[in-house]
Amino acid sequence: MKHHVGEHKARKGLIRIEFDEENGVAEHVKITGDFFMHPEEAVHDLEEKLEGHRIEELEAVMDEFFAMRMDVEMPYVNVEDFKIALKKALEG
């Protein structure tokens, strides 16, 4: 099992994505940082959405999540910031 961690300093906050990789699949996904997201449970919803997907699918899953969730507000942070943190996690 490989552990991945990626951080990205967005305009207003740090985004940290952590997960384990088992046979090319993301497990134990955790998204933390000092960014603001409303509703607050959206972070947990995104973590759950990413769980169980193949590593190469994570960016598309993230895009799909934010495209479908019109209720999510993230001042000064956007989906690209999350994708940068994800890419950094995959580099390590």
Side-chain angles (χ1 to χ4, degrees):
M1 182 178 308
K2 183 173 183 190
H3 188 70
H4 296 271
V5 179
E7 292 182 344
H8 172 61
K9 180 76 173 123
R11 201 166 72 155
K12 280 281 190 184
L14 180 77
I15 298 169
R16 179 183 173 100
I17 298 180
E18 250 182 286
F19 59 92
D20 294 322
E21 178 185 348
E22 182 74 44
N23 299 320
V25 174
E27 297 179 350
H28 313 113
V29 179
K30 201 79 191 133
I31 300 171
T32 57
D34 59 359
F35 59 92
F36 176 78
M37 185 185 282
H38 183 80
E40 290 179 21
E41 63 270 11
V43 174
H44 178 69
D45 295 345
L46 177 57
E47 291 169 344
E48 283 187 341
K49 196 75 154 164
L50 294 170
E51 292 253 346
H53 282 277
R54 298 204 53 77
I55 299 300
E56 58 271 11
E57 299 171 340
L58 295 180
E59 193 173 332
V61 171
M62 203 174 268
D63 277 334
E64 182 182 302
F65 175 84
F66 285 110
M68 299 300 284
R69 289 292 300 263
M70 303 311 286
D71 63 320
V72 174
E73 296 177 27
M74 303 180 297
Y76 307 108
V77 177
N78 62 44
V79 65
E80 292 304 316
D81 293 313
F82 283 87
K83 287 164 53 175
I84 291 168
L86 174 64
K87 287 176 186 168
K88 287 182 177 180
L90 292 171
E91 289 169 2

